Amino acid sequence: MTERKPPGVSYESWVEKQIRESTERGGFEDLPGFGKPLRNLDRPYDEMWWIKEKMDREQVSFLPASLV
């Protein structure tokens, strides 16, 4: 857990400092997907993308079993 933002420091510079320090400690190394392209960048934006992905991961359908 990080410390609280000190008074008088802008939120952006405080966050940037946290990210920089973590990068220096190696906190972002060995993350899954590191160095791989982001999926679905070539598709148009869909506001419900996360719901569709969750339903696909959980193998859930909003259709009745007889229609699936």
Side-chain angles (χ1 to χ4, degrees), residues 18-32 34:
Q18 297 290 317
I19 293 171
R20 181 182 45 79
E21 289 175 352
S22 182
T23 302
E24 290 170 356
R25 288 191 309 267
F28 297 111
E29 294 176 2
D30 298 328
L31 292 175
F34 179 76

Side-chain angles (χ1 to χ4, degrees), residues 31-57:
L31 292 175
F34 179 76
K36 297 179 183 175
L38 297 175
R39 296 183 301 135
N40 303 328
L41 283 181
D42 56 344
R43 295 185 184 173
Y45 181 71
D46 180 11
E47 293 179 357
M48 305 298 271
W49 67 269
W50 63 277
I51 294 173
K52 292 175 183 175
E53 284 189 11
K54 175 74 172 175
M55 290 178 70
D56 189 45
R57 260 193 327 270

